[in-house]
Each structure stands twice: as structure tokens, then as C-alpha cells.
Amino acid sequence: MHSITMKVPLRAYLLFTATCSSARAFYNPHSPSSPSTFLNMSTTSPSTNLSQAKQLISKAISIGAPAYNAGDINKCATVYQDTAKEITSLGIPSALQSELLAEIENEASNDNAKAWALRRIFDSIVDYTLPLTPSPEPTIPSVTLEPFTQTQLPNEPLGVMDNVMGGISRGSWISKANTFFGETSLANNGGFASLRWRFPQKQNWSYAKGIYIKGLRHSKPMEHTFRIILKDDNCERVRLANYKVVFANPDQVQDQPLLIPFTDFDEMEQMGNSLVGSPSFNPMSVTEIGIMAIKPTVVGEFQLEFEEWGLYV
């Protein structure tokens, strides 16, 4: 059972190509939200709960993985099961909590199946990042919103899907409605769909503080999270490199924009792996912006829509 985190050096290069396929719209904005909560809250903050869960997982794997590799599968499964029970009391994202509880209560699986099932859930918890969300109260600082214009962004983005790995996820864009929809699939080690807008000329956004999204709505608001993608000149020198920030609107706040500061794009990544030693995002040389739906929080059909997006200053 291999380790759960991986970082690759900045010099690593990979080749990636992908295409966009059509998808079916399904989201009904008038349907009731899920009765589950976005985070199962305890007395501590969500970030503290998640951090504690990840620490418990790291400890469990340091004991369980060597035991499994030495042939003591029962010990591995027992350690993972006990850790899973402890994590459920902390408060973690609802989708992961439900999955964890279901496996804890699953008495049909043998030790080997139990160990691997819990390990996969552990990996999902470790990979989870708390999203930026719109403030439900009008407490955001006074900002000026500058929406993207048609001359800035091409009407039709490039679809970048997981088919490079044999995946079958799909996504499409309705430009008139600012709607991104599709379906992610875990088949063939896949699990993401994204759209990318390439700028005809490099953009200098150094005068702005970040990106805003106004009127954000999306499917399964208590579970689904998405990623905003940015690329600068430095990313263009490293194949597949970009910056990502996770966002969501669990409370379906409509009267406050989501603000995503450039300072949050603090580490370049490549195929989901952090590039150690990479510079922070440079808003003076922006080459691309995008939106992504990706596992583990988005598996299956999804839809994201908004009134407008742009820069805030």
C-alpha cells in the first residue's frame, strides 16, 4: 500500500492532449438542496477538523501499510477501521463522511477488501481541499467588479478531458448562459472535465486583486466543489503546469460575489501534483483561465452556472 502524497520536481514534464465532447444538461435550479450538510461540523473549525483527520490517516497508514506488506492484512484492516471510526466524530465533508460510514458498517467485506476500500476513502480525504465560498453576509470589502468582455475571452473554450488516460468524462459549455455541464467518470482511472480559455495576447492583471464569480450556482451544492484554473508565462515553460483554487457555493448565496484572490494561487501544479519550488502566480503575464470539475467531490453528472465573472479591484 503506497504512500498517499506525491510531489514532483519543477523539471518534470508530461505530454497531455484532450478533446471536448457533448454532454446533457440536467440541473434544475428549483430543486431542493441535499438535506446533508457541506461539513459535518464539530466544535472546532472545518480546517482544523480536516487537518486532524489527515493526521490520523497518516498515522494509520504508517502502521497499516507495513503490516499489510508483511502479510498481516487483518492488522491493517483493523487499524484502518478504528481510524475511520475516530474520523467520523471530527466532522469532514458530507460526501466523504457518508462513504466512510457506509464502509465502516459494511460487514460483508473481508480484511483485504476492507483495507483497500478504507484506503481509497482515506486518499480522498487527504486530497480534499476546503473550498472558497461566497460570504453569506455582506461583509466583503468594497471592491470594483470588472466583468470579462467578449473581446477578452473567446466564446468557445477548449475542452480538456481525462481521455488522455483512457477516461470517458465529458463536459460542454453554453456561452449564452455561462453554463458548464457534463459528467465525470472514474472509468479507466479518469475523473475530470475542464474548459480552458486561451487569451490571444498575454493579459496584465497586476492592477486587480483577483477573480470574481457572480450569481454562482451548481449541482449538489453541499457536495460538489470546482476549481478555477490560471496559467501564466511560467506555466507555459512547464508542460501541463497551472495554478488551481477550489471553490463552491454550498449555501447558494446569490447576492454576494465569490472573490478568489490572486494570492491564493500560490503553488504551481502539474496533473494534480505540487511542483516544489515553483513561483507564485504572476498576474502580469496571464495566458489562460479555466474551470474544472474533478473527483473526488464531483463524480457523475454536474452543472455549474453563473451570471458573470471577471476581475475585482
Side-chain angles (χ1 to χ4, degrees), residues 11-312:
R11 63 178 180 272
Y13 294 92
L14 295 172
L15 178 63
F16 182 68
T17 57
T19 57
C20 180
S21 59
S22 62
R24 176 173 60 88
F26 72 96
Y27 175 53
N28 179 3
H30 303 294
S31 62
S33 299
S34 166
S36 61
T37 56
F38 184 62
L39 288 174
N40 297 287
M41 300 297 293
S42 68
T43 56
T44 54
S45 69
S47 60
T48 300
N49 298 339
L50 197 59
S51 177
Q52 290 177 351
K54 292 180 180 183
Q55 290 175 6
L56 289 172
I57 289 170
S58 178
K59 181 180 179 181
I61 290 175
S62 71
I63 299 171
Y68 185 97
N69 293 334
D72 194 346
I73 300 176
N74 175 263
K75 179 179 179 180
C76 178
T78 300
V79 169
Y80 287 3
Q81 179 83 345
D82 291 344
T83 300
K85 291 178 180 178
E86 189 171 358
I87 290 172
T88 58
S89 67
L90 293 176
I92 59 173
S94 60
L96 297 173
Q97 176 91 338
S98 298
E99 193 175 1
L100 200 59
L101 287 171
E103 185 55 42
I104 289 172
E105 297 170 359
N106 181 11
E107 299 178 354
S109 60
N110 56 38
D111 287 340
N112 186 66
K114 174 72 69 176
W116 277 110
L118 288 173
R119 177 57 190 271
R120 283 190 286 270
I121 301 172
F122 286 172
D123 288 349
S124 295
I125 295 172
V126 170
D127 289 341
Y128 186 87
T129 301
L130 286 171
L132 290 179
T133 62
S135 172
E137 301 294 337
T139 57
I140 63 173
S142 177
V143 297
T144 299
L145 305 181
E146 296 186 358
F148 290 134
T149 64
Q150 292 183 349
T151 57
Q152 281 181 293
L153 294 179
N155 284 334
E156 294 302 324
L158 172 69
V160 180
M161 310 297 156
D162 58 16
N163 63 336
V164 67
M165 302 173 292
I168 59 174
S169 299
R170 52 196 174 91
S172 293
W173 173 252
I174 303 176
S175 59
K176 292 183 179 180
N178 288 333
T179 300
F180 174 35
F181 67 96
E183 182 176 4
T184 60
S185 171
L186 301 181
N188 304 326
N189 200 35
F192 75 87
S194 70
L195 304 173
R196 314 292 177 88
W197 287 262
R198 293 286 297 179
F199 295 108
Q201 297 179 336
K202 284 189 294 187
Q203 304 288 300
N204 184 349
W205 291 349
S206 58
Y207 68 93
K209 296 179 181 178
I211 305 290
Y212 80 89
I213 303 177
K214 185 178 180 181
L216 173 65
R217 296 185 299 177
H218 58 80
S219 50
K220 295 186 178 179
M222 301 297 181
E223 297 179 19
H224 285 178
T225 65
F226 298 85
R227 284 161 172 77
I228 193 85
I229 303 169
L230 289 176
K231 293 186 72 168
D232 61 11
D233 259 352
N234 290 321
C235 293
E236 301 298 338
R237 300 186 183 99
V238 182
R239 199 170 293 176
L240 289 181
N242 54 44
Y243 298 89
K244 296 187 183 76
V245 169
V246 182
F247 70 93
N249 191 3
D251 298 320
Q252 297 291 272
V253 175
Q254 296 299 303
D255 56 352
Q256 297 295 324
L258 168 66
L259 303 182
I260 308 174
F262 289 141
T263 53
D264 280 15
F265 297 89
D266 56 358
E267 190 171 52
M268 194 185 297
E269 65 176 64
Q270 184 184 62
M271 296 293 285
N273 300 312
S274 298
L275 293 175
V276 180
S278 62
S280 298
F281 171 70
N282 180 8
M284 295 182 66
S285 60
V286 187
T287 60
E288 182 177 291
I289 188 171
I291 304 173
M292 172 178 278
I294 188 170
K295 64 181 181 181
T297 61
V298 181
V299 178
E301 293 182 325
F302 68 87
Q303 182 162 313
L304 179 149
E305 60 185 78
F306 50 86
E307 293 175 12
E308 66 178 39
W309 61 337
L311 304 177
Y312 73 92

